[in-house]
Amino acid sequence: MQKRYTVFLTGATGLVASYLLKILLQQGNFVYCLARSKDGISAGERVTSLLKFWDKNTPTENLRVLDGDVTLPGLGIKKEKEEVASNAEIIYHSAALAELRSPLDVISKINVEGTNNILEFALGCKKLKKLNHISTAFVIGDRKGVNFTEDMLQEGQGFYNTYEQTKYEAEILVKNYVKKGINISIFRPSMVMGDFKEGRTNSFRLFYEPIHFFSRGIYEEFPADDNGFHNLINIDTVAQALFLLGDRGEQATYHLVSKEEVRIKELFGLAADFFGFKMPKCTPLSKFDFSQWTPVQKLLAEPYIPYFNYNTKFVSERTHAVLKEYGFSFPKIDKSNLTRIFEYCRRRGYIK
Amino acid sequence: MPKKTPEEIKKEVRKLISDITEVPEKDLKEDAKFVEDLGIDSMMALEIVASLEKKYKVVIPEDEIPNVRSLANVYQILEKLINK
């Protein structure tokens, strides 16, 4: 962003928005954060402890944490609602449940209704220049083998899980509010992992989970496509791109993804070498005999199997061209980048 | 193979769960519920059960899976299967 703004941010207790918050505050923006208190820990404590996790020197004098909830009407903020609506110039909506096993009604409440509530709120923000909606490249769902460009969305896809489905539904909602006059950009990161420099993360989810269960030697054989690939991206670079593009005048969709994918075999092979576990034998899904698995093995692997047989390319030429205007490009996901990710897992004791 | 005593099984199970979840063994009380008390998510819980299956070469029947909600449940199911 070229100027300092008053920002309204949701999702700051999550991975992407917590890192973004760090950048926003370091760059001198004033930030209202909407967050929930949880397990007896106040919203303020949750947000600031994550901030300190990223950088203990992050200035907090321009931070106001509002105890609220995107799923509640009026976002659950009575007192401060008017103040935020009068002052917010930029909104980042990142609050979402990124969970592959969540029942539809539970996840929909946060990812779809929550987005709706934010969009409604945005209609009343008098100084609003831009609303940035954080989506995911996986809204393309089960459309296999396509080149998914920034302009595509409704491609007749089905979904592998309720996360993909509800993020897709949220994007459709967003498009409706563009028609109502809000200036909105959509950001679609691919699979987010730790930071570039040290592999740091506060969330060992999704990409990390199969490495964890492979390291336990639970599977001798796994249904995975030899030609399948993952698109991975470092958290710090996703947040940096969100920050840079956050006040662009034009409405656009951006793919915050790496230019090059990592072959699944190569990725898990590297992890196996690093942690010293035996990689399961990869068998094409069509030839895989599921009767060799126990019911528990099936349940554990199920949500991840589509991503071991993934060959949808996320096209990002336009996004990369825009980022280039700021002198910014995403680093390569190569062996040294991945090794730092694995080293951090070991250092934190996540994988031994 | 000699039968394992319930105490031996409990000790081994606690060590394995602590290994997977990073929850210290001393916090793994018998009545502790995975999700509510130990902050273990459903994926981690499944990984624990799958690791136990591998270690003890047993298969937890599908209809028992929803019952695995606490350490006490795990002990009960394992004892039944291991010493069958």
Side-chain angles (χ1 to χ4, degrees):
Chain A
M1 295 199 290
Q2 304 297 304
K3 281 171 45 190
R4 290 176 179 177
Y5 293 101
T6 299
V7 177
F8 180 45
L9 172 71
T10 74
T13 51
L15 178 65
V16 171
S18 65
Y19 203 102
L20 174 61
L21 176 61
K22 174 187 94 106
I23 300 176
L24 290 169
L25 292 171
Q26 283 172 340
Q27 296 299 322
N29 297 279
F30 186 93
V31 188
Y32 292 105
C33 269
L34 184 75
R36 284 180 297 177
S37 49
K38 197 177 167 190
D39 301 332
I41 305 168
S42 74
E45 269 177 81
R46 291 181 71 209
V47 170
T48 46
S49 78
L50 249 185
L51 259 187
K52 303 278 172 207
F53 167 79
W54 291 118
D55 184 348
K56 60 181 186 322
N57 298 318
T58 311
T60 52
E61 63 270 17
N62 288 333
L63 169 67
R64 282 276 304 279
V65 180
L66 314 172
D67 193 333
D69 187 334
V70 291
T71 66
L72 297 173
L75 310 177
I77 41 168
K78 279 203 186 101
K79 272 201 323 247
E80 308 92 340
K81 200 178 161 193
E82 273 315 303
E83 184 188 329
V84 182
S86 319
N87 295 323
E89 296 165 291
I90 306 281
I91 296 178
Y92 283 98
H93 173 47
S94 184
L97 189 59
E99 166 63 65
L100 301 183
R101 298 174 197 268
S102 183
L104 185 60
D105 57 333
V106 174
I107 195 166
S108 191
K109 204 160 170 52
I110 298 169
N111 294 359
V112 185
E113 269 181 58
T115 299
N116 194 54
N117 291 340
I118 291 294
L119 290 163
E120 277 297 313
F121 177 77
L123 285 174
C125 291
K126 300 168 191 79
K127 291 189 193 163
L128 189 69
K129 288 185 168 53
K130 188 92 205 187
L131 188 152
N132 299 299
H133 172 74
I134 321 301
S135 182
T136 168
F138 293 94
V139 291
I140 188 59
D142 66 2
R143 274 303 305 272
K144 284 197 166 185
V146 292
N147 288 333
F148 182 39
T149 66
E150 287 102 330
D151 291 326
M152 290 161 70
L153 177 60
Q154 290 166 284
E155 299 297 319
Q157 64 267 55
F159 301 98
Y160 291 123
N161 49 60
T162 55
Y163 173 65
E164 291 184 349
Q165 181 185 340
T166 52
K167 291 303 280 183
Y168 166 88
E169 288 170 4
E171 274 204 33
I172 303 275
L173 254 182
V174 164
K175 301 251 181 224
N176 291 337
Y177 278 79
V178 169
K179 289 177 203 147
K180 292 186 186 181
I182 310 179
N183 186 328
I184 308 180
S185 282
I186 294 172
F187 293 87
R188 296 177 182 151
S190 54
M191 218 175 273
V192 183
M193 54 181 198
D195 77 354
F196 175 73
K197 215 171 129 203
E198 293 178 62
R200 279 166 69 82
T201 180
N202 69 320
S203 167
F204 294 104
R205 304 293 311 279
L206 306 174
F207 153 77
Y208 292 91
E209 288 168 334
I211 301 177
H212 197 273
F213 62 64
F214 285 158
S215 79
R216 305 292 315 175
I218 291 168
Y219 298 98
E220 301 278 328
E221 195 180 343
F222 206 84
D225 178 357
D226 264 359
N227 298 311
F229 47 74
H230 275 331
N231 193 305
L232 300 165
I233 190 98
N234 297 107
I235 171 59
D236 51 329
T237 62
V238 167
Q240 184 64 19
L242 282 168
F243 168 72
L244 290 172
L245 304 178
D247 64 346
R248 301 270 305 179
E250 76 274 18
Q251 319 215 37
T253 298
Y254 300 101
H255 280 181
L256 305 183
V257 307
S258 294
K259 273 187 192 156
E260 286 159 32
E261 295 82 9
V262 185
R263 291 264 303 263
I264 282 160
K265 228 179 165 176
E266 188 191 339
L267 172 65
F268 289 94
L270 271 175
D273 288 347
F274 182 88
F275 293 109
F277 63 81
K278 189 169 166 271
M279 180 63 193
K281 182 183 164 218
C282 293
T283 304
L285 184 56
S286 56
K287 292 184 185 149
F288 189 80
D289 176 14
F290 281 92
S291 70
Q292 68 179 288
W293 279 358
T294 69
V296 174
Q297 285 179 311
K298 262 185 227 161
L299 268 178
L300 177 63
E302 231 162 33
Y304 306 96
I305 292 172
Y307 304 107
F308 278 84
N309 294 276
Y310 206 81
N311 57 2
T312 300
K313 241 181 139 48
F314 306 140
V315 179
S316 54
E317 266 77 18
R318 198 177 68 205
T319 303
H320 287 111
V322 176
L323 284 169
K324 214 174 162 190
E325 293 173 23
Y326 300 84
F328 181 85
S329 63
F330 291 116
K332 269 196 168 167
I333 309 295
D334 54 12
K335 190 178 172 184
S336 65
N337 193 336
L338 288 167
T339 302
R340 289 190 294 276
I341 300 289
F342 300 150
E343 275 166 355
Y344 186 73
C345 291
R346 180 178 280 163
R347 202 159 72 233
R348 279 283 304 272
Y350 174 70
I351 299 174
K352 292 175 183 78
Chain B
M1 212 163 65
K3 278 192 175 184
K4 285 190 172 163
T5 66
E7 276 319 306
E8 282 170 328
I9 294 175
K10 283 180 186 178
K11 207 174 154 203
E12 289 176 352
V13 170
R14 271 200 305 273
K15 186 175 178 313
L16 183 142
I17 295 179
S18 174
D19 248 17
I20 293 179
T21 61
E22 300 170 65
V23 176
E25 277 186 56
K26 65 173 173 46
D27 294 345
L28 295 172
K29 304 268 188 302
E30 189 146 343
D31 57 351
K33 291 204 170 64
F34 288 142
V35 179
E36 296 87 338
D37 301 327
L38 301 173
I40 294 170
D41 64 21
S42 61
M43 187 261 149
M44 224 26 136
L46 284 169
E47 196 177 314
I48 291 168
V49 180
S51 300
L52 290 168
E53 283 189 332
K54 184 180 170 237
K55 183 174 172 64
Y56 295 109
K57 300 189 173 53
V58 295
V59 175
I60 314 267
E62 196 159 5
D63 53 359
E64 288 274 23
I65 299 171
N67 301 330
V68 188
R69 286 202 299 265
S70 69
L71 269 174
N73 299 149
V74 170
Y75 297 150
Q76 244 171 3
I77 295 169
L78 276 181
E79 272 172 46
K80 211 161 62 186
L81 291 170
I82 294 171
N83 292 331
K84 200 156 65 175

